[in-house]
Amino acid sequence: MLYLIGLGLGDASDITVKGLQALRSCSRVYLEAYTSVLTVGKEVLEEYYGKELIVADRDQVEQGADEILKDADVSDVAFLVVGDPFGATTHSDLVLRAVTAGIPYKVIHNASVMNAVGCCGLQLYNFGEMVSLVFWTDTWRPDSFYDKMCKNRAAGLHTLCLLDIKVKEQSVENMMRGKKIYEPPRFMTVAQAADQLIRVIQRRREEGAEPGVTEDTVCVGVARLGADNQTIRVATLQQLMSCDLGGPLHSLVVTGRLHPLEVDMLRVNAEPNALQHLRMMDSSTYWS
Amino acid sequence: MLYLIGLGLGDASDITVKGLQALRSCSRVYLEAYTSVLTVGKEVLEEYYGKELIVADRDQVEQGADEILKDADVSDVAFLVVGDPFGATTHSDLVLRAVTAGIPYKVIHNASVMNAVGCCGLQLYNFGEMVSLVFWTDTWRPDSFYDKMCKNRAAGLHTLCLLDIKVKEQSVENMMRGKKIYEPPRFMTVAQAADQLIRVIQRRREEGAEPGVTEDTVCVGVARLGADNQTIRVATLQQLMSCDLGGPLHSLVVTGRLHPLEVDMLRVNAEPNALQHLRMMDSSTYWS
C-alpha cells in the first residue's frame, strides 16, 4: 500500500491520529521537502513519529518514483506531504504510477493553506481562483497573476496568493558547471509579495490602465498559518510592503467585497488606518 | 481558552494529535452537529476521545453562545467541528464573541472538503468560486448557483458544489403548532444534485438560453470523502442522475477545462463512455 499522508501546517503534532498510525506501520517513509515546510525540521519529525524519514526532493519524486514505489505492492510505504497531499501542489503523477503498477494507494488528508486561511476571518466561499507569485529574476517577471486577481475582485471575490519557495536552487553558474551546489532556501515574504504586486500596479498605470487592485486595497498577510506563533496582519497593500511577519511560510490574501462579519473579523488583526478606506456599498457589503 | 478543533472528514481517528491532546485537557467539549457529519456518531467519538461530548445544534451555537463560552476565561472549552473549523461554514460569530469577552482562542485545523476534493484528480488551483445546492421546495427553487457554475466553466475553472444537509428540520405543521418534533436527517445525494441541475439546464433552454453546463458535461460525484469507504464517480451529469453512491455526505464537482494529467486521474474512476465527449482544445487542455 502507498500511503499519501498530509502533515498539516504547524508542527509534528499536526498529523492526524490515522496518519500517525499508518506511517508507523510502514517499512519506508518519504518526506516530500520541496513544496512546503513545517516550523520544525526532519529530526524533530523523526523523533516525534518514531520513524526514520527519507527526504525526497523534486528530482527524486519526479524522476525517482520507481524507487519510492518499490515493493509497495507487498509492504507499506508512506509519502508525507506538508499540508494536504493534494493541496497547493499535486502528486497525481505518483498516484498514477502506483495505479499503473497495480499498487493500492490511500490518501490521509489534513489541513492545507487553502482551507486554513479561513481563520483570518474571510469566508472561504467568497474566494475565487487562487494564484501563485514567483520570485522575479532580471529577465523573467511574470504578472499574469495580477489579471486573475483583478478578475476575482471585480466579481467581489477574495484571492489567495501562494508565495514562492525555493529550497534546492542552483545558481546559473553552478548549474552550467554541473556543480551540485545549492543556494540557501528562500521563501517569499508578504512584504516581498506586496512590493512585487505594487510594481505590477505601477506598470499597468504607466500603460494607461485603471488598476483593479491598488496600493489602498485591503489585504491580509498570513505567516506560519496553523503554528503556535501564527501571525495575521490586515493592512493596505502599501502598508504590507513594509511589514515584517517573521519566518516562513507566508501567504497573502487580496480582498474582494466584504461582508460586515468579515470586516469585524479583520478588525481583530488590523493595522491602524488599514480599514479607513472601506466604504459601505449597500446594507450587506463593504468595499475598499 | 476556547479551542476550535477540526475533526477532519472520515471517522474518529481523523482528528490531529494536537487536537486530541487539546480536547482531552478541556472541561467541556461541544460537538457542532448541523453543518456536517462524520461516518461515526457521537458515542463512537466519545469512546475514542475519552470525553463526554455536548451536542450543539444551530440554535445553541447561534443563540446559546454565552453558555458555550462560560468560564472559558479560566478553564478550557473545546468546540469540535467536522472538517475544518473555518471550512464549509464559519464560526466567526463565536470567535468574535470570545474576542469581545476577552477569552483567548486557538484554532486547530484539519482537512475540509475544499482541499480534500483534490483526491479526485482535479487540480485545486483550477477551481473557481464554490457554490451550494439546497433542497428545493414547492415554492422555493433557487438556481443562482447555476450562473456561478457557468461563469467558472467559461473561465476554464472547476466548481465544487456543496450539497444541502438538513439535520434538525421541523415540518411546517409542527413549526406552526410550536411542536419541537424534528424530521429525520436529510442529505442531498449526487443523484439528487444532478437531477436538480438538469432541471435548471432544461429551464434555461426553454427560456432560449444556450446552457454553459449541459447534460454531457463531465462531473465528479464524491461520497464520504476521506472515509475508508470513500467513493468517487466520474461521469456525465446525465449519468450521475441515476447513480447510487451510498450514505452521506456527498459532493459534486462540475469540471472546467481539463489538463491531460487531470484526464488521466479522472479515468481511474470514470464510468464507461463518460469521457467520450472530451475533445482536445490544444496541446495542453481538454474540454467536454
Side-chain angles (χ1 to χ4, degrees), chain A residues 9-11 13-21 48 84 86-88 90 92-93 95-96 99 105-112 114-119 121 123-130 151 155 157 225-228 230 261 264-265 268-269, chain B residues 9-11 13-21 48 84 86-88 90 92-93 95-96 99 105-112 114-119 121 123-130 151 155 157 225-228 230 261 264-265 268-269:
Chain A
L9 296 168
D11 57 35
S13 65
D14 283 301
I15 192 169
T16 64
V17 177
K18 188 181 278 178
L20 188 56
Q21 285 167 347
Y48 193 90
D84 185 71
F86 292 96
T90 175
S92 298
D93 186 64
V95 168
L96 283 173
V99 170
Y105 74 95
K106 198 175 157 96
V107 180
I108 300 180
H109 293 287
N110 210 319
S112 86
M114 296 166 52
N115 63 288
V117 72
C119 70
Q123 315 254 343
L124 292 173
Y125 56 78
N126 287 338
F127 279 72
E129 184 183 5
M130 77 178 98
K151 202 171 166 186
L157 302 172
L225 183 62
D228 287 337
Q230 165 183 302
L261 192 60
D264 288 343
M265 282 291 285
V268 174
N269 298 296
Chain B
L9 298 169
D11 56 37
S13 66
D14 282 300
I15 192 169
T16 65
V17 177
K18 188 181 277 178
L20 187 58
Q21 285 167 347
Y48 193 91
D84 185 72
F86 292 97
T90 175
S92 299
D93 186 65
V95 168
L96 282 172
V99 170
Y105 74 96
K106 197 174 158 95
V107 180
I108 300 180
H109 294 287
N110 210 319
S112 87
M114 297 166 52
N115 64 287
V117 73
C119 71
Q123 315 255 341
L124 292 172
Y125 56 78
N126 286 339
F127 279 73
E129 185 183 4
M130 77 178 98
K151 202 170 165 187
L157 301 172
L225 184 61
D228 287 337
Q230 164 184 302
L261 192 61
D264 288 342
M265 283 290 287
V268 174
N269 298 297

